[in-house]
Amino acid sequence: MKKALSIILAFVLAFGMLLPASAANEAETKLQFNDDGKFRIMQIADIQDGPLLLEITRNYIEEMVRYANPDLIVLTGDNISAGASSLGIHAIDLILTEIAIDRFMSIFEEYGVPVAVVFGNHDAEELVTKEEQMAMYNEYDCCVAIDDGNALYGCGTYNLPIYSSTDANKIAYNLWMIDSNMYDEENDGYDHVHQDQIDWYIKTSNELKAQNGGKVVPSMMFQHIIINEIYDVITEVPASEKDNYEYVEEYNEDTGVSKYYAIMPKYLKTGELNEMPCPGTVDSNQFEAVVAQGDVVAMFFGHDHKNTYEVNYQGVDIVNTPGVGFNSYGDHNRGVRIIDIKEGTTDYDTSVIRYQDYYAGDKAAAERFVLYGGEFEVADRIAAFFKYIWFSVTAILSF
């Protein structure tokens, strides 16, 4: 047993030595609107993989960075899968986790794109803590994430100001990064944003407002687990009317009865509800605080891999971004979200760049999607493997 562990450790250390050396940030990265008054954010949700990050996921992320040319990337949790990065020995797991993080952070480092990080429920389920992971992220020059230490519950609740294109000392916009935490063991469900985090948000929001001459600084908020208020805009629809909606079917095995749910049209701006949201078990007053402060234009979430909806509730947009990773569940919506902000306004544009849309017309890429899509039948995935090989070879031979 000891010999086997020694071999594993040597193997992991060898991989660890291949990681690029990177010094911690010597100078704080300052986010600023471009000369045209625009700022682009790419939200990446639920990579949820390990040291052997699937190449289809890695290639797609890298292609999106090149294509979208964002000014900031926001990783909104489940950035890694702790289960896929753990052998149950802390020293080894540290290395495995570092490799898992490097598989995507090295892309952002190469392209020089600033990266903000928040955590999800799967990042630190095993031995490597969020604090240890945040230290790993902060080794990259591109990382702008902040470890708030013991000041607040969780790890990684902070804000990032975006400065004016014409005045490098004036905060023109603000981004809230919130740790929505992991699990509520007492109530057997997901956790929530805790009161000290909410108090910090209110205090900091008020400070920004005071610095801005008494006017709120328009802001966006990013976190992993969605707020409970999403259920205020979802309603059960009769079976006879379900086809009039983008609905989710909930089947009760005990009763043999299905119920159908949809987002009420008066709230829905665009996008799809393809699975029921999974908020925390405790309904905190986070959303009430956001509405009362009046600074947050939109809240962006991950966590529910199939959902792409944008709804407006009480004047705040609630937006879900689908998962990007192929090592976890998903559907036809796998992709990344682009958010374009315009300086001096509260208006913004957002859309999901789906894998299938981006590679439309590429037969090999289409088959690769099926091959790695766990939602497809085994027979379809096997057939996709051979088709993928065929289309890839014929594409090479055509040059």
Side-chain angles (χ1 to χ4, degrees):
M1 179 65 178
K2 290 183 178 179
K3 183 178 180 181
L5 287 175
S6 298
I7 293 173
I8 293 172
L9 181 57
F11 178 77
V12 171
L13 284 171
F15 264 103
M17 292 176 66
L18 295 176
L19 296 177
S22 177
N25 276 332
E26 295 180 0
E28 182 181 353
T29 300
K30 194 170 188 177
L31 304 180
Q32 189 170 8
F33 281 96
N34 297 304
D35 291 340
D36 61 0
K38 296 180 180 178
F39 191 90
R40 170 167 284 188
I41 300 170
M42 177 187 291
Q43 181 192 0
I44 301 177
D46 300 272
I47 298 173
Q48 204 166 322
D49 211 327
L52 301 178
L53 174 64
L54 293 175
E55 283 301 312
I56 185 173
T57 302
R58 191 177 194 280
N59 293 346
Y60 174 66
I61 290 174
E62 183 171 8
E63 183 64 24
M64 288 299 95
V65 173
R66 284 198 297 263
Y67 172 75
N69 192 28
D71 298 299
L72 175 71
I73 290 169
V74 181
L75 301 175
T76 49
D78 287 2
N79 310 313
I80 68 167
S81 167
S85 309
S86 176
L87 290 178
I89 302 171
H90 187 248
I92 296 177
D93 289 0
L94 283 170
I95 298 171
L96 291 173
T97 299
E98 189 172 10
I99 296 171
I101 290 172
D102 186 71
R103 289 285 285 152
F104 49 85
M105 285 297 292
S106 60
I107 299 173
F108 312 141
E109 188 87 320
E110 178 184 354
Y111 288 92
V113 183
V115 180
V117 181
V118 297
F119 293 110
N121 53 292
H122 287 303
D123 289 288
E125 288 177 314
E126 301 294 337
L127 300 181
V128 182
T129 66
K130 289 188 285 188
E131 288 77 12
E132 290 171 322
Q133 291 182 40
M134 186 63 87
M136 294 176 188
Y137 283 106
N138 283 329
E139 283 296 311
Y140 293 86
D141 291 332
C142 64
C143 184
V144 294
I146 298 171
D147 182 355
D148 50 318
N150 297 321
L152 300 172
Y153 191 93
C155 175
T157 293
Y158 55 99
N159 70 296
L160 296 172
I162 306 176
Y163 291 86
S164 170
S165 60
T166 58
D167 184 349
N169 295 315
K170 176 179 174 55
I171 297 176
Y173 214 93
N174 183 61
L175 304 176
W176 302 103
M177 304 293 158
I178 308 293
D179 183 8
S180 56
N181 302 301
M182 295 173 61
Y183 298 104
D184 180 352
E185 296 181 2
E186 182 178 345
N187 296 297
D188 191 25
Y190 293 110
D191 208 346
H192 58 282
V193 176
H194 287 233
Q195 188 59 48
D196 65 331
Q197 297 172 278
I198 298 170
D199 292 342
W200 168 86
Y201 155 68
I202 295 172
K203 176 177 177 292
T204 309
S205 173
N206 287 336
E207 290 172 351
L208 290 171
K209 181 178 178 179
Q211 295 170 18
N212 195 40
K215 298 180 181 179
V216 296
V217 176
S219 306
M220 289 179 172
M221 187 172 282
F222 295 85
Q223 66 191 61
H224 184 68
I225 298 174
I226 197 161
I227 51 176
N228 295 70
E229 282 76 9
I230 188 60
Y231 276 95
D232 292 348
V233 304
I234 295 175
T235 186
E236 183 180 353
V237 297
S240 59
E241 299 179 15
K242 69 180 190 301
D243 292 334
N244 296 328
Y245 302 88
E246 291 283 347
Y247 67 87
V248 172
E249 179 179 359
E250 291 279 284
Y251 177 73
N252 188 316
E253 294 184 356
D254 295 330
T255 63
V257 175
S258 289
K259 291 186 177 181
Y260 305 92
Y261 298 89
I263 296 174
M264 288 178 266
K266 67 178 180 179
Y267 298 114
L268 181 63
K269 297 176 69 174
T270 188
E272 300 175 2
L273 173 72
N274 290 320
E275 63 175 307
M276 294 301 281
C278 294
T281 55
V282 173
D283 186 5
S284 73
N285 69 339
Q286 179 190 5
F287 186 71
E288 287 86 348
V290 164
V291 172
Q293 288 300 116
D295 59 340
V296 175
V297 175
M299 304 175 74
F300 295 88
F301 306 88
H303 191 46
D304 302 317
H305 298 193
K306 298 181 180 182
N307 291 335
T308 63
Y309 53 74
E310 303 169 36
V311 302
N312 184 272
Y313 183 56
Q314 296 187 30
V316 178
D317 288 346
I318 301 173
V319 184
N320 202 104
T321 296
V324 70
F326 282 81
N327 198 38
S328 185
Y329 82 92
D331 66 0
H332 60 281
N333 282 318
R334 280 189 184 86
V336 301
R337 181 175 290 281
I338 302 300
I339 307 161
D340 288 314
I341 304 171
K342 178 69 175 177
E343 183 178 0
T345 75
T346 57
D347 297 332
Y348 70 97
D349 295 313
T350 184
S351 62
V352 173
I353 304 178
R354 304 190 312 168
Y355 177 101
Q356 294 196 89
D357 292 336
Y358 183 78
Y359 291 106
D362 185 330
K363 293 181 179 179
E367 295 302 333
R368 195 183 192 196
F369 184 94
V370 177
L371 171 61
Y372 285 99
E375 64 272 22
F376 294 98
E377 298 292 335
V378 173
D380 293 331
R381 297 177 71 183
I382 293 174
F385 169 77
F386 292 105
K387 292 178 182 178
Y388 170 63
I389 298 297
W390 170 255
F391 289 130
S392 297
V393 170
T394 54
I396 293 172
L397 295 177
S398 65
F399 280 100

